[in-house]
Amino acid sequence: MTNKWLTSSIKVPIKESPIKYYIKSLTNKLEPFPRPKYFQVCSIDNLSMPEASRTKKSIHNSVVALSYYAITLILSFFSRKIFLEYLGTDILGLNTTAQNLLQFLNLAELGIGVAVGFSLYKPLYEEDNDTVNEIVALQGKIYKRIGIIIIIGAVLLMGFFPFIFKKITLPLWYAYASFGAFLISSLLGYFLNYKQILLTASQKDYKINYSYRTILILKTIAQIIAVYFLPFPYIWWIVLEVVFSIIASVVLHIVTIREFPNLQNVKIPFKELRKKYSSLVTKIKQLFFHKIGGFALTQTSPLIIYAFIDLNVVALYGNYMVVINGIQMMMASMFNSMGAGVGNLVAEGDEQKIRNVFRELFSLRFVITATLCAGVIYFTPAFISLWIGKEYLLPFSTLLLLTTLLFIGLSRYTVEAFVTAYGLYSDIWAPVIEASINIGLSIILGSVMGLNGIILGVVISQILVIVMWKPFYLFKKSIKGFLKNYIIIYTTHIISGIGIGVLVWLIFKSYINNASTSCVSFIVNGIFVILPYTIILTALLCLFSQGMRLSLVRIKNLILKTN
């Protein structure tokens, strides 16, 4: 069954970056237009605006998002270095643990924002203010109920803090303060600024960046200054965390109300709204289960690490996750339009074209993913050493396991884009099993092997469900008869990526080892090593991968068209 939210789309202009334009071209929806500047996406903007204005707005939105991503990433590296030096690893580890505990309480929200966003596209396009008001009202009523549940859960959870944090050397009130600060910030999203989903659904994310994220950047800068110059740095850190979160939420709420003046309170009872929009409620329930696996992957590991080891290791693990999360965010920004393009392709129903596009996207994404993972393996130790010092390094075996997780996380989205396009959400048991295996094996192996055992448990759960089950499920339900081809494609790509990675390591080992001597050597040696890896891998895949050859031909044609 086709996902109606993904296929109920319209043509809107977007920024002509090479990656995004490449993905757009895969749907072959460019012919009806005089210039190749459009493709079909789910996000719907104000279609009454002139085309030139819409194009300008889309480009503006994309540029702003990438700019804020770069600023946030650079600032996160700098701030973590300052916080490690002046607050210490115990406090950073405590904050990470407190955030993960809060995310556990936030589990009830999983799926609501995504489902509501999809359901708003059509009424926003049709300027159906009544439907928009009712959907936002339903979201608000659900969020307020979840907020109350979170408050009750938080109070009960804090009663167990003396037991949970019995190993910390810090005063116990530190745990209450950190958790309380993050709790206030989280609750603001449920009771005040949940309406920001309208900005996202109408492709006005840049307004969220200008208002909310600008203030959060200022918060981080203020915290750095306070921690560096003022006495009682932790007190200042907590106060600024709360104050700036409140300011950011209030400003975002005002921006949303001004942008949507027709947004009004709806006095329809909750039961009536829930019955009227039963399909939205069903979508929320399905997405809830499919978000559980991701939650278990990102949020439970630090808690298990703290349970079996200590806050110091949580902080070291957090340093590496800053690098890995930054890479994942970059890939997301590069391929954020892929899902919509695949949705349109599936709606078209051309099986041969679907298979060819799958091959192309898989090969293209694999080369980028393998290159990034090779860079992580080769140069993360040098980066950590230059960034915060050699004393914060983890063993190479741990880095290898984290890179395996990164590879699975980056390469999974080709299959998942088609799973989403076909609306294949009925396997709600799969994420539950994934989370159970993840947590269960992490606890068992962590008790025996420590940090590596915990991460290995996550890797095994990802291989079983993400690498093995998801493709099988996709090709059983939709692209039938393609499973054997996929296994061959996946295996040949993996062997090529690992083989060339080992070869490059042996040839350029001296450059890799000397990358930590200075920032200049890190950049120069990195380029000198990674560039050959990418070129050799691409050339090898061209010999036996139809997807790689098709990708290069398409990229060449697109470059010629844009010139």
Side-chain angles (χ1 to χ4, degrees), residues 209 248 383:
N209 285 316
F383 178 79

Side-chain angles (χ1 to χ4, degrees), residues 370-381 530:
T371 300
L372 291 172
C373 289
V376 170
I377 285 286
Y378 296 156
F379 296 108
T380 294
I530 294 301

